[in-house]
Amino acid sequence: VNYKTGGWVTHHVTDIWAKTSPSDGNPVWSVWPMGGAWLCTHLWEHYTYTRDKKFLEQKAYPLLKGCAEFLLDWLVEYPKSVLVTNPATSPEHEFIAPDGQKASVSYATAMDMAIIREIFLAAISAAKVLGSTSDDLIQKIMAAQPNLFPPKVARDGTLMEWAQDFQDPEVQHRHMSHLFGLYPGHTITMEATPELCKAASNSLIKRGEDGPGWSTVWKIALWARLRDSEHAYRMVKKLITLVDPAHEEMFEGGLYANLFTAHPPFQIDANFGFASAIAEILVQSDENNLILLPALPRDKWPRGCVSGLKARGHTKVAICWKEGELHEVGLMVHNHSSHKTLHYNGISAEVQLSVGYVHTFNRDLKMVRSLPLA
């Protein structure tokens, strides 16, 4: 109805009647057709954590294909052979247009393009698992991938939020939309794109530390992905600030007395996001690699243990550290034996994990015991 495209789309506002269309209002917040695509990234994430092939085949993959079909139709060429979204916004943020006025609608915003990259990668990866890479849609995605508008670095060394290096009228805006590729996405990484990680770090510094609770925990996770323990810890401390009960409506961020996180008012995003961000501080993973204590603030949390964390590849993780250093890590895989590469403090080790056993490794990533489950 709205776009005359194939596939399916839902925007960022819905309700009990399952509304999918754009909202009525200022386009700075009302028109954003990437809501469904963002949700679809979680479908692939669910598979990478669980390896539930039935879920992938029957539920996730059909939704991913429909989402990708819409995105392929929504993309246009500008300039020649470069694929962009147009129109596009960066949620709730504005820029200074060439005429000196504030504006919010442009093309190829960083968040749009980052989400599309994630969906295309997920659709292709899912097709490989299911043996469907010869599908016409997957072939179209593969052909479009290299032509997507790339992330760029601005003159001030930050990651560009829009396709052009516009002036920012609100430098310390609460949203970190242009850093989606770093977190929760996976297309900006320390290993593959160090120059973009540097730009992301500059963007975080430029945005500052203030903001509502959900913004604070997003920054914790972003700093964790950058392996910057000092900044991650600073944002943890920033969140754990008691809101003055006498002036709650004036206080942005922090915690209410019942530990609900403040926007204001209360929004659950930061309570859930805090758990996710702490997990990123302690372990990061893809389906083949486990990075242990990547952003641990060693002098602030010199000792501790965590158990029950899940890593991609259907792996359960328990870690203990002493004097700021890894002491032991226990790993358990479900349903299938698995080959993993462990990484800690500049050391890497390839290990084989067997179903039905808890494998324990020391700080040098040497296996010290392998015990069958009771």
Side-chain angles (χ1 to χ4, degrees), residues 44-55:
W44 176 246
E45 284 281 71
H46 182 79
Y47 171 76
T48 64
Y49 276 96
T50 65
R51 293 285 183 90
D52 185 342
K53 193 171 179 179
K54 182 179 179 181
F55 165 83

Side-chain angles (χ1 to χ4, degrees), residues 124-146:
I124 292 169
S125 298
K128 289 178 179 177
V129 172
L130 299 173
S132 302
T133 53
S134 60
D135 287 1
D136 287 345
L137 179 66
I138 299 302
Q139 291 298 310
K140 290 178 182 178
I141 292 171
M142 289 179 172
Q145 249 187 333

Side-chain angles (χ1 to χ4, degrees), residues 93 226 329:
H93 199 19
L226 293 172
V329 56

